[in-house]
Coordinates of all heavy atoms in Angstrom, one line a residue:
M11 N 89.3 59.0 -65.3 CA 89.2 57.6 -65.1 C 90.1 57.1 -64.0 O 89.7 56.2 -63.2 CB 89.5 56.9 -66.5 CG 88.8 55.6 -66.7 SD 87.0 55.8 -66.6 CE 86.6 54.1 -66.9
K12 N 91.3 57.6 -64.0 CA 92.2 57.1 -63.0 C 91.8 57.4 -61.6 O 91.9 56.6 -60.7 CB 93.6 57.8 -63.2 CG 94.7 57.1 -62.5 CD 96.1 57.5 -63.0 CE 97.2 56.7 -62.4 NZ 98.2 57.5 -61.8
T13 N 91.2 58.6 -61.4 CA 90.7 59.0 -60.1 C 89.6 58.0 -59.6 O 89.6 57.6 -58.5 CB 90.1 60.4 -60.2 OG1 91.0 61.3 -60.8 CG2 89.7 60.9 -58.8
K14 N 88.7 57.6 -60.5 CA 87.6 56.7 -60.2 C 88.2 55.4 -59.6 O 87.7 54.9 -58.6 CB 86.8 56.5 -61.4 CG 85.4 56.1 -61.1 CD 84.5 56.1 -62.4 CE 83.1 55.9 -62.0 NZ 82.3 56.0 -63.3
I15 N 89.2 54.9 -60.3 CA 89.8 53.6 -59.8 C 90.4 53.8 -58.4 O 90.2 52.9 -57.6 CB 90.8 53.1 -60.8 CG1 90.2 52.7 -62.1 CG2 91.7 52.0 -60.3 CD1 91.1 52.5 -63.3
N16 N 91.1 54.9 -58.2 CA 91.7 55.1 -56.9 C 90.6 55.2 -55.8 O 90.9 54.7 -54.7 CB 92.5 56.4 -56.9 CG 93.8 56.2 -57.7 OD1 94.2 55.1 -58.0 ND2 94.4 57.3 -58.1
V17 N 89.5 55.8 -56.1 CA 88.4 55.8 -55.1 C 87.9 54.4 -54.7 O 87.7 54.1 -53.6 CB 87.3 56.7 -55.6 CG1 86.0 56.6 -54.7 CG2 87.7 58.2 -55.7
I18 N 87.8 53.6 -55.7 CA 87.3 52.2 -55.5 C 88.3 51.5 -54.6 O 88.0 50.8 -53.7 CB 87.1 51.5 -56.8 CG1 85.8 52.1 -57.5 CG2 86.8 50.0 -56.6 CD1 85.7 51.7 -59.0
E19 N 89.6 51.6 -55.0 CA 90.7 51.0 -54.2 C 90.7 51.4 -52.7 O 90.8 50.6 -51.8 CB 92.0 51.2 -54.8 CG 92.3 50.3 -56.0 CD 93.8 50.4 -56.4 OE1 94.5 51.1 -55.8 OE2 94.1 49.7 -57.4
A20 N 90.5 52.7 -52.5 CA 90.5 53.2 -51.2 C 89.4 52.6 -50.3 O 89.6 52.4 -49.1 CB 90.4 54.8 -51.2
T21 N 88.3 52.4 -51.0 CA 87.2 51.8 -50.2 C 87.5 50.3 -49.9 O 87.2 49.9 -48.8 CB 85.9 51.8 -51.1 OG1 85.7 53.2 -51.5 CG2 84.7 51.4 -50.3
T22 N 88.1 49.6 -50.8 CA 88.3 48.2 -50.5 C 89.3 47.9 -49.4 O 89.3 46.9 -48.8 CB 88.7 47.4 -51.8 OG1 89.9 48.0 -52.2 CG2 87.6 47.5 -52.9
Y23 N 90.2 48.9 -49.2 CA 91.2 48.7 -48.1 C 90.5 48.6 -46.7 O 91.0 48.0 -45.8 CB 92.1 49.9 -48.1 CG 93.3 49.8 -49.0 CD1 93.1 50.0 -50.4 CD2 94.6 49.6 -48.5 CE1 94.1 49.9 -51.2 CE2 95.6 49.5 -49.4 CZ 95.4 49.7 -50.8 OH 96.5 49.6 -51.6
R24 N 89.3 49.2 -46.6 CA 88.6 49.1 -45.3 C 87.8 47.9 -45.2 O 87.3 47.6 -44.1 CB 87.7 50.4 -45.2 CG 88.5 51.6 -44.7 CD 87.6 52.8 -44.5 NE 87.9 53.8 -45.5 CZ 87.0 54.4 -46.2 NH1 85.8 54.2 -46.0 NH2 87.4 55.3 -47.1
Q25 N 87.6 47.2 -46.3 CA 86.8 45.9 -46.1 C 87.8 44.8 -45.9 O 88.8 44.6 -46.6 CB 86.1 45.6 -47.4 CG 85.0 46.7 -47.7 CD 84.2 46.5 -48.9 OE1 84.6 45.7 -49.8 NE2 83.1 47.2 -49.1
P26 N 87.7 44.0 -44.8 CA 88.6 43.0 -44.4 C 88.9 42.0 -45.6 O 88.0 41.5 -46.2 CB 88.0 42.3 -43.2 CG 87.0 43.3 -42.7 CD 86.5 44.1 -43.9
L27 N 90.2 41.7 -45.8 CA 90.6 40.7 -46.7 C 91.2 39.6 -45.9 O 92.0 39.8 -45.0 CB 91.7 41.2 -47.6 CG 91.3 41.7 -49.1 CD1 92.6 42.1 -49.8 CD2 90.6 40.6 -49.8
A28 N 90.8 38.4 -46.2 CA 91.3 37.2 -45.4 C 92.8 37.0 -45.6 O 93.3 37.0 -46.7 CB 90.5 36.0 -45.8
V29 N 93.5 36.7 -44.5 CA 94.9 36.3 -44.6 C 94.9 34.8 -44.8 O 94.4 34.0 -44.1 CB 95.6 36.6 -43.2 CG1 97.0 36.1 -43.3 CG2 95.5 38.1 -42.9
T30 N 95.5 34.5 -46.0 CA 95.4 33.1 -46.4 C 96.8 32.4 -46.6 O 96.8 31.3 -47.0 CB 94.6 33.0 -47.8 OG1 95.3 33.8 -48.7 CG2 93.2 33.4 -47.6
E31 N 97.8 33.2 -46.4 CA 99.2 32.6 -46.7 C 100.1 32.9 -45.5 O 100.1 34.0 -44.9 CB 99.8 33.2 -48.0 CG 99.1 32.7 -49.2 CD 99.7 33.3 -50.5 OE1 99.9 34.5 -50.5 OE2 100.0 32.6 -51.4
I32 N 101.0 31.9 -45.2 CA 102.0 32.1 -44.2 C 103.3 31.8 -44.9 O 103.5 30.8 -45.6 CB 101.8 31.1 -43.1 CG1 100.4 31.3 -42.4 CG2 102.9 31.2 -42.1 CD1 100.0 30.2 -41.5
L33 N 104.3 32.7 -44.7 CA 105.6 32.5 -45.3 C 106.5 31.8 -44.3 O 106.7 32.3 -43.2 CB 106.2 33.8 -45.7 CG 107.6 33.8 -46.3 CD1 107.5 33.1 -47.7 CD2 108.2 35.2 -46.5
L34 N 107.0 30.7 -44.7 CA 107.9 29.9 -43.8 C 109.4 30.1 -44.3 O 109.7 29.8 -45.4 CB 107.6 28.4 -43.9 CG 108.4 27.5 -43.0 CD1 108.2 27.8 -41.5 CD2 108.1 26.0 -43.3
L35 N 110.2 30.7 -43.4 CA 111.6 31.0 -43.7 C 112.4 29.7 -43.4 O 112.0 28.8 -42.7 CB 112.1 32.1 -42.9 CG 111.3 33.5 -43.1 CD1 112.0 34.6 -42.2 CD2 111.2 33.9 -44.5
L36 N 113.6 29.8 -44.0 CA 114.6 28.6 -43.9 C 114.9 28.4 -42.4 O 115.2 27.3 -42.0 CB 115.8 28.9 -44.7 CG 115.6 29.0 -46.2 CD1 116.9 29.4 -46.9 CD2 115.1 27.7 -46.8
N37 N 115.0 29.4 -41.6 CA 115.3 29.2 -40.2 C 114.2 28.8 -39.3 O 114.3 28.7 -38.1 CB 115.9 30.5 -39.6 CG 114.9 31.7 -39.6 OD1 113.8 31.5 -39.9 ND2 115.4 32.9 -39.3
G38 N 113.0 28.6 -39.9 CA 111.9 28.0 -39.2 C 110.9 29.1 -38.8 O 109.8 28.8 -38.3
D39 N 111.3 30.4 -38.9 CA 110.3 31.5 -38.6 C 109.2 31.5 -39.6 O 109.4 31.2 -40.8 CB 111.0 32.8 -38.6 CG 111.9 33.0 -37.3 OD1 111.7 32.2 -36.4 OD2 112.7 33.9 -37.3
A40 N 108.1 31.9 -39.1 CA 106.9 32.0 -40.0 C 106.2 33.3 -39.9 O 106.1 33.8 -38.8 CB 105.9 30.9 -39.8
F41 N 105.9 33.9 -41.0 CA 105.2 35.2 -41.0 C 103.9 35.1 -41.8 O 103.9 34.5 -42.9 CB 106.1 36.3 -41.6 CG 107.3 36.6 -40.7 CD1 108.5 36.0 -40.9 CD2 107.2 37.6 -39.7 CE1 109.6 36.3 -40.1 CE2 108.3 37.9 -38.9 CZ 109.5 37.2 -39.1
S42 N 102.9 35.7 -41.3 CA 101.7 35.9 -42.1 C 101.9 36.9 -43.3 O 102.8 37.8 -43.1 CB 100.5 36.4 -41.3 OG 100.5 35.7 -40.1
I43 N 101.2 36.7 -44.4 CA 101.4 37.6 -45.5 C 100.1 38.4 -45.8 O 99.0 37.8 -45.8 CB 101.7 36.7 -46.8 CG1 103.0 35.9 -46.5 CG2 101.8 37.6 -48.0 CD1 103.3 34.9 -47.7
C44 N 100.4 39.7 -46.0 CA 99.2 40.5 -46.4 C 98.6 40.1 -47.7 O 99.4 39.9 -48.7 CB 99.7 42.0 -46.5 SG 98.4 43.1 -47.1
P45 N 97.3 39.9 -47.7 CA 96.7 39.4 -49.0 C 96.7 40.5 -50.1 O 96.5 40.1 -51.3 CB 95.2 39.1 -48.6 CG 95.0 39.9 -47.3 CD 96.4 40.0 -46.6
R46 N 96.9 41.7 -49.8 CA 96.9 42.7 -50.8 C 98.3 43.0 -51.3 O 98.6 42.9 -52.5 CB 96.3 44.0 -50.3 CG 96.3 45.1 -51.3 CD 95.7 46.4 -50.8 NE 94.3 46.3 -50.7 CZ 93.4 46.6 -51.7 NH1 93.8 47.0 -52.8 NH2 92.1 46.5 -51.5
C47 N 99.3 43.3 -50.5 CA 100.6 43.8 -51.0 C 101.7 42.7 -50.8 O 102.8 42.8 -51.2 CB 101.1 45.0 -50.2 SG 101.5 44.8 -48.5
K48 N 101.3 41.5 -50.2 CA 102.2 40.4 -50.0 C 103.4 40.7 -49.1 O 104.4 40.0 -49.1 CB 102.7 39.9 -51.4 CG 101.6 39.6 -52.4 CD 100.7 38.5 -51.9 CE 99.6 38.1 -52.9 NZ 98.7 37.1 -52.4
N49 N 103.3 41.7 -48.4 CA 104.3 42.0 -47.4 C 104.1 41.1 -46.2 O 103.0 40.7 -45.9 CB 104.1 43.5 -46.9 CG 105.2 43.9 -46.0 OD1 106.4 43.6 -46.2 ND2 104.9 44.7 -45.0
T50 N 105.2 40.7 -45.5 CA 105.1 39.9 -44.3 C 104.6 40.8 -43.2 O 105.0 41.9 -43.0 CB 106.4 39.3 -44.0 OG1 107.4 40.3 -43.9 CG2 106.8 38.2 -45.0
L51 N 103.7 40.2 -42.4 CA 103.1 41.0 -41.3 C 103.9 40.7 -40.0 O 104.3 39.5 -39.8 CB 101.7 40.5 -41.1 CG 100.8 40.8 -42.3 CD1 99.4 40.1 -42.1 CD2 100.6 42.3 -42.5
E52 N 104.2 41.7 -39.3 CA 105.0 41.6 -38.1 C 104.3 40.8 -37.0 O 104.9 40.0 -36.3 CB 105.4 43.0 -37.6 CG 106.6 42.9 -36.6 CD 107.2 44.3 -36.4 OE1 106.8 45.2 -37.0 OE2 108.0 44.3 -35.5
W53 N 103.0 41.0 -36.8 CA 102.3 40.3 -35.8 C 101.1 39.5 -36.3 O 100.5 39.9 -37.3 CB 101.7 41.4 -34.8 CG 102.7 42.4 -34.4 CD1 102.7 43.7 -34.8 CD2 103.7 42.3 -33.4 NE1 103.7 44.4 -34.2 CE2 104.4 43.6 -33.3 CE3 104.1 41.3 -32.6 CZ2 105.4 43.8 -32.5 CZ3 105.2 41.5 -31.8 CH2 105.8 42.7 -31.7
E54 N 100.9 38.4 -35.7 CA 99.6 37.7 -36.0 C 98.5 38.5 -35.4 O 98.6 39.1 -34.4 CB 99.7 36.3 -35.4 CG 100.4 35.3 -36.3 CD 100.3 33.9 -35.7 OE1 99.4 33.6 -34.9 OE2 101.2 33.1 -36.1
Y55 N 97.4 38.4 -36.1 CA 96.1 39.0 -35.7 C 96.2 40.6 -35.6 O 95.4 41.2 -34.9 CB 95.7 38.4 -34.4 CG 95.5 36.9 -34.5 CD1 96.3 36.0 -33.9 CD2 94.4 36.4 -35.3 CE1 96.2 34.7 -34.0 CE2 94.3 35.1 -35.4 CZ 95.1 34.2 -34.8 OH 95.0 32.8 -34.9
Q56 N 97.2 41.2 -36.3 CA 97.1 42.6 -36.3 C 96.0 43.0 -37.3 O 95.6 42.3 -38.2 CB 98.5 43.2 -36.8 CG 98.9 42.9 -38.2 CD 100.3 43.4 -38.5 OE1 101.3 42.9 -38.0 NE2 100.3 44.4 -39.4
R57 N 95.4 44.2 -36.9 CA 94.2 44.5 -37.6 C 94.4 45.1 -39.0 O 93.6 44.9 -39.9 CB 93.4 45.5 -36.8 CG 91.9 45.2 -36.7 CD 91.1 46.2 -36.1 NE 90.0 46.6 -37.0 CZ 88.8 46.1 -36.8 NH1 88.5 45.3 -35.8 NH2 87.9 46.4 -37.7
Y58 N 95.5 45.8 -39.2 CA 95.8 46.4 -40.5 C 97.2 46.1 -40.9 O 98.1 46.0 -40.0 CB 95.6 47.9 -40.4 CG 94.2 48.4 -40.1 CD1 93.8 48.6 -38.8 CD2 93.3 48.5 -41.1 CE1 92.5 49.0 -38.5 CE2 92.0 48.9 -40.9 CZ 91.6 49.2 -39.6 OH 90.3 49.5 -39.3
C59 N 97.4 46.0 -42.2 CA 98.8 45.8 -42.7 C 99.6 47.1 -42.5 O 99.1 48.2 -42.7 CB 98.7 45.5 -44.2 SG 100.3 45.5 -45.0
D60 N 100.8 47.0 -42.0 CA 101.7 48.1 -41.7 C 102.0 48.9 -43.0 O 102.3 50.1 -43.0 CB 103.0 47.7 -41.1 CG 102.7 47.2 -39.7 OD1 101.8 47.6 -39.0 OD2 103.5 46.3 -39.2
R61 N 102.1 48.1 -44.1 CA 102.6 48.7 -45.3 C 101.5 49.3 -46.2 O 101.7 50.5 -46.6 CB 103.3 47.6 -46.1 CG 104.1 48.1 -47.3 CD 104.5 46.9 -48.1 NE 105.8 47.1 -48.7 CZ 106.5 46.2 -49.4 NH1 106.0 45.0 -49.5 NH2 107.6 46.5 -50.0
C62 N 100.5 48.6 -46.4 CA 99.5 49.1 -47.4 C 98.2 49.6 -46.7 O 97.3 50.2 -47.3 CB 99.1 48.1 -48.4 SG 98.2 46.7 -47.9
G63 N 98.0 49.3 -45.4 CA 96.8 49.7 -44.6 C 95.6 48.9 -44.8 O 94.5 49.2 -44.4
Q64 N 95.8 47.7 -45.5 CA 94.7 46.8 -45.8 C 94.1 46.3 -44.4 O 94.9 45.8 -43.6 CB 95.1 45.7 -46.6 CG 94.1 44.6 -46.8 CD 92.8 45.1 -47.5 OE1 92.9 45.7 -48.6 NE2 91.7 44.8 -46.9
C65 N 92.8 46.3 -44.3 CA 92.2 45.7 -43.1 C 92.2 44.2 -43.3 O 91.9 43.7 -44.4 CB 90.7 46.2 -43.0 SG 89.9 45.7 -41.5
L66 N 92.6 43.5 -42.2 CA 92.8 42.1 -42.3 C 91.7 41.3 -41.6 O 91.2 41.7 -40.5 CB 94.2 41.8 -41.8 CG 95.3 42.5 -42.4 CD1 96.6 42.4 -41.6 CD2 95.5 42.0 -43.8
D67 N 91.4 40.1 -42.2 CA 90.4 39.2 -41.6 C 91.1 37.9 -41.3 O 91.7 37.2 -42.1 CB 89.4 39.0 -42.7 CG 88.4 37.9 -42.2 OD1 88.5 37.4 -41.1 OD2 87.5 37.6 -43.1
W68 N 91.1 37.5 -40.0 CA 91.9 36.4 -39.5 C 90.9 35.2 -39.2 O 91.4 34.2 -38.7 CB 92.6 36.7 -38.2 CG 93.6 37.8 -38.5 CD1 93.4 39.1 -38.3 CD2 95.0 37.6 -38.8 NE1 94.6 39.8 -38.6 CE2 95.6 38.9 -38.9 CE3 95.8 36.5 -39.1 CZ2 96.9 39.1 -39.3 CZ3 97.1 36.7 -39.5 CH2 97.7 38.0 -39.5
D69 N 89.7 35.3 -39.7 CA 88.7 34.2 -39.3 C 89.1 32.8 -39.9 O 88.9 31.8 -39.3 CB 87.3 34.6 -39.9 CG 86.7 35.6 -39.0 OD1 87.3 36.0 -38.0 OD2 85.6 36.1 -39.4
N70 N 89.7 32.8 -41.1 CA 90.1 31.6 -41.7 C 91.6 31.3 -41.6 O 92.1 30.5 -42.4 CB 89.7 31.6 -43.2 CG 88.2 31.7 -43.3 OD1 87.4 31.1 -42.6 ND2 87.7 32.6 -44.2
F71 N 92.2 31.9 -40.7 CA 93.7 31.8 -40.6 C 94.1 30.4 -40.3 O 95.2 30.0 -40.8 CB 94.2 32.8 -39.5 CG 95.7 32.9 -39.5 CD1 96.4 33.2 -40.6 CD2 96.4 32.7 -38.3 CE1 97.8 33.3 -40.6 CE2 97.8 32.8 -38.2 CZ 98.5 33.1 -39.4
D72 N 93.3 29.6 -39.7 CA 93.7 28.2 -39.4 C 93.8 27.4 -40.7 O 94.5 26.4 -40.8 CB 92.6 27.5 -38.6 CG 92.7 28.0 -37.1 OD1 93.7 28.6 -36.7 OD2 91.7 27.8 -36.4
D73 N 93.2 27.9 -41.8 CA 93.3 27.2 -43.1 C 94.3 27.8 -44.0 O 94.4 27.4 -45.2 CB 91.9 27.2 -43.8 CG 90.8 26.5 -42.9 OD1 91.2 25.5 -42.3 OD2 89.7 27.0 -42.9
A74 N 95.1 28.7 -43.5 CA 96.1 29.4 -44.3 C 97.1 28.4 -44.9 O 97.5 27.4 -44.3 CB 96.8 30.5 -43.5
V75 N 97.5 28.7 -46.1 CA 98.5 27.9 -46.8 C 99.9 28.3 -46.4 O 100.2 29.5 -46.4 CB 98.3 28.0 -48.4 CG1 99.4 27.3 -49.1 CG2 96.9 27.6 -48.7
I76 N 100.8 27.4 -46.2 CA 102.2 27.7 -45.8 C 103.0 27.7 -47.1 O 103.0 26.8 -47.9 CB 102.7 26.6 -44.9 CG1 102.0 26.8 -43.5 CG2 104.3 26.9 -44.7 CD1 102.4 25.7 -42.5
V77 N 103.7 28.8 -47.3 CA 104.5 29.0 -48.5 C 105.9 29.1 -48.1 O 106.3 29.8 -47.2 CB 104.1 30.4 -49.2 CG1 105.0 30.6 -50.5 CG2 102.7 30.4 -49.6
E78 N 106.8 28.2 -48.7 CA 108.2 28.2 -48.2 C 108.9 29.3 -48.9 O 108.7 29.6 -50.1 CB 108.8 26.8 -48.5 CG 108.3 25.8 -47.6 CD 109.0 24.5 -47.7 OE1 110.3 24.5 -47.9 OE2 108.4 23.5 -47.6
F79 N 109.8 29.9 -48.2 CA 110.6 31.0 -48.7 C 111.5 30.5 -49.9 O 112.2 29.5 -49.8 CB 111.5 31.6 -47.6 CG 112.4 32.7 -48.0 CD1 111.8 34.0 -48.3 CD2 113.7 32.6 -48.2 CE1 112.5 35.1 -48.6 CE2 114.5 33.7 -48.6 CZ 113.9 34.9 -48.8
Q80 N 111.5 31.3 -51.0 CA 112.2 31.0 -52.2 C 113.4 31.9 -52.3 O 113.3 33.1 -52.6 CB 111.4 31.1 -53.4 CG 110.1 30.4 -53.4 CD 110.2 28.9 -53.6 OE1 111.1 28.4 -54.3 NE2 109.4 28.1 -53.0
G81 N 114.6 31.4 -52.1 CA 115.8 32.2 -52.2 C 115.8 33.4 -51.4 O 116.4 34.4 -51.8
Ligands
LIG274 ZN1 99.6 45.1 -47.1

């Protein structure tokens, strides 16, 4: 059963997920957030997340929500 779930997950990584959140730091820097692992992305419009390998979709990035850094 566990193997089956992993196969499904591996497939979804290749299907683009929309980037919908931007993390705003206290110093004014802003980073896009990976929709899958919530890691901050180093570059805007990078095709894949460095951390989890999720394929990213930037089509709706203009509508992304800004999230302020908490602590
Ligand atoms: Zn990620």
Side-chain angles (χ1 to χ4, degrees):
M11 207 58 181
K12 197 166 185 231
T13 309
K14 204 169 192 178
I15 290 167
N16 287 344
V17 168
I18 291 165
E19 278 191 1
T21 308
T22 61
Y23 275 72
R24 276 183 250 134
Q25 296 180 345
L27 260 183
V29 178
T30 57
E31 289 179 313
I32 300 165
L33 181 68
L34 182 65
L35 301 183
L36 297 174
N37 65 6
D39 283 346
F41 292 94
S42 314
I43 300 175
C44 172
R46 181 178 287 270
C47 70
K48 306 297 182 186
N49 186 38
T50 52
L51 300 167
E52 194 167 354
W53 312 102
E54 278 186 17
Y55 303 109
Q56 66 185 69
R57 223 186 130 101
Y58 296 93
C59 173
D60 292 330
R61 190 187 211 176
C62 71
Q64 173 63 50
C65 185
L66 303 168
D67 173 3
W68 297 90
D69 285 356
N70 298 316
F71 188 53
D72 287 345
D73 298 326
V75 176
I76 293 174
V77 181
E78 286 189 40
F79 182 72
Q80 308 283 329

